[in-house]
Amino acid sequence: MIPGPVELSPRVAEAASARPLGHMSKPVVEAFGRALKAMREVWKAPATAQPFVVSGSGTVAMELAVANLVEPGTQALLVSTGYFSERMAEMIRRHGGEPVIVAAPPGGVPSLDEVTRRLDAAPGCKLLFATHVDTSTGVLVDPAPLAKLARERGLLSVFDGVCATAGERFEMEAWGADVYLSASQKALGLPPGLGLLVASERAIEARARRNAPPPLSLDWQQWIPIMQGYESGAPKYFATPATSLIIALDVGLAELCAIGVEQVFEQHRAAAETMRGYWQRLGLRALPESAAVTANTMSALYYPDGVDAALIGKVLAQDVIIAGGLLQPLAPKYFRVGHMGWTSRQPELLARTAAAIASALGRSL
Ligand code: PMP
């Protein structure tokens, strides 16, 4: 019950543990093609958007966005809500860009007014970055007004959905967002190992206009013919895909599409409501400052007075795994529980988690 990697559905677990097949084999080509199409459905992206699946974790997906869009001197407004936003800022710097950071105290989200004022004061910004759910704090950002603001100002918007995709509403087409990046191991309910990203036509065009190409292994222009090849059933080689994970991706995304993306969002909302009910009964206080900025995919909760990280070991003794805090200097003061992906559909696992925490705290539910 950590905020990723998550428990897998039985079918996804089975698919992921099958013998690896060749990257040109029929089952892999077909699975890859279906998975790319399903990504547009889960991302609610237009037909013109380009999905990418690369081997690696969410950090690689972040770098896939930054490496293609940030050049030396590129100014990028960054809405910072925690540890992973800070990582994004560092990545932008390392690619020679200049992050203009708008941050809120831990648990908060900078207001749209504040973001707008910072953009007014930094008219050279070409990009707007935000973390949909920052896993370090469980803070949820509403991407819709940010994507709209970016459109109005002619900026490209990039959202890190690693702890959100399929667990929190995201409407790439309706909101006009340009990049939504993710990873396999969280609300998508897959094993770790894949970086996933969908880019708008505008974003792809921005890469095409660059003066210098990005690192070869991250270059969208290298990957586009590969993704298009798999989608059209005529695969080409650039770099060997993680074939077992591609098979699992196909099975996992098909499961989500069969349930329906709207219903999957609703399952996460319902699971989060259940968990919040437990936390309330246990007298636990959430780190996010209000319900409006609290994620549905996970909970970040302060330890009650007199309790510390030893709680995690006491919960583990009951065979339930939860995670410690991540954002310094608050990290020793809170813990985190994931409730996303397949687990969001397993009320008995949610109840067992709450019961283990209750017993470790010596409180009753
Ligand atoms: N962004 C967010 C919001 C994350 O939660 C994480 C991982 N927890 C990452 C990026 C980095 O992903 P990974 O650990 O898979 O590299």
Side-chain angles (χ1 to χ4, degrees):
M1 301 303 291
I2 60 172
V6 298
E7 287 290 337
L8 306 178
S9 81
R11 287 188 56 230
V12 171
E14 192 189 328
S17 47
R19 276 178 82 184
L21 298 170
H23 59 296
M24 297 289 170
S25 66
K26 197 161 177 272
V28 169
V29 175
E30 289 177 356
F32 212 144
R34 279 193 301 265
L36 291 166
K37 289 188 178 71
M39 278 173 71
R40 284 198 199 83
E41 190 171 332
V42 175
W43 268 240
K44 292 183 168 271
T48 52
Q50 180 59 56
F52 296 88
V53 177
V54 296
S55 303
S57 69
T59 305
V60 172
M62 292 166 74
E63 199 114 48
L64 192 60
V66 174
N68 282 277
L69 296 175
V70 175
E71 288 186 274
T74 305
Q75 276 195 346
L77 190 112
L78 186 122
V79 179
S80 180
T81 47
Y83 180 94
F84 290 101
S85 310
E86 288 170 12
R87 172 171 296 183
M88 189 65 100
E90 176 60 12
M91 242 178 222
I92 292 168
R93 279 185 213 107
R94 289 195 182 196
H95 285 270
E98 295 165 22
V100 175
I101 298 172
V102 191
V109 176
S111 71
L112 194 61
D113 277 356
E114 215 179 323
V115 175
T116 308
R117 275 199 303 277
R118 286 304 287 274
L119 268 186
D120 287 342
C125 281
K126 297 271 184 293
L127 302 163
L128 185 153
F129 285 87
T131 313
H132 196 175
V133 171
D134 199 299
T135 322
S136 69
T137 53
V139 164
L140 172 76
V141 165
D142 182 0
L146 294 174
K148 182 162 175 272
L149 179 65
R151 280 270 153 160
E152 285 165 2
R153 303 284 180 116
L155 280 70
L156 295 174
S157 60
V158 179
F159 297 96
D160 172 349
V162 171
C163 192
T165 311
E168 306 283 354
R169 172 168 300 281
F170 194 87
E171 303 200 24
M172 191 159 175
E173 180 167 26
W175 297 349
D178 291 295
V179 174
Y180 193 43
L181 65 94
S182 198
S184 46
Q185 75 274 17
K186 299 197 195 243
L188 287 163
L190 299 157
L194 292 179
L196 306 162
L197 182 151
V198 179
S200 71
E201 260 183 312
R202 291 197 323 157
I204 300 291
E205 282 160 13
R207 151 64 192 104
R209 286 196 303 271
R210 281 176 72 109
N211 298 320
L216 192 73
S217 67
L218 296 170
D219 188 355
W220 285 347
Q221 291 198 343
Q222 292 293 326
W223 283 113
I224 288 171
I226 307 308
M227 299 302 144
Q228 290 179 345
Y230 275 110
E231 199 170 348
S232 65
K236 294 186 190 67
Y237 168 73
F238 168 54
T240 309
T243 53
S244 307
L245 293 175
I246 300 292
I247 297 281
L249 177 69
D250 173 38
V251 171
L253 292 180
E255 268 185 0
L256 297 187
C257 292
I259 296 168
V261 181
E262 287 298 323
Q263 180 61 16
V264 173
F265 293 152
E266 169 55 24
Q267 286 169 341
H268 281 86
R269 192 206 56 74
E273 191 176 282
T274 301
M275 295 314 267
R276 281 178 214 131
Y278 291 136
W279 309 146
Q280 206 172 10
R281 271 175 267 157
L282 291 174
L284 293 169
R285 186 163 70 89
L287 194 156
E289 68 183 17
S290 69
V293 301
T294 303
N296 283 335
T297 49
M298 60 170 287
S299 297
L301 303 156
Y302 286 108
Y303 296 116
D305 286 345
V307 176
D308 61 17
L311 179 81
I312 296 170
K314 291 184 188 159
V315 173
L316 180 62
Q318 298 167 77
D319 220 16
V320 173
I321 310 174
I322 59 172
L326 184 59
L327 185 70
Q328 295 296 352
L330 274 185
K333 298 196 160 72
Y334 72 99
F335 65 101
R336 296 173 302 147
V337 180
H339 28 87
M340 58 186 140
W342 179 74
T343 43
S344 71
R345 306 193 277 280
Q346 311 302 316
E348 69 284 2
L349 284 187
L350 303 180
R352 198 176 133 198
T353 301
I357 294 172
S359 141
L361 286 170
R363 297 183 182 187
S364 56
L365 265 174

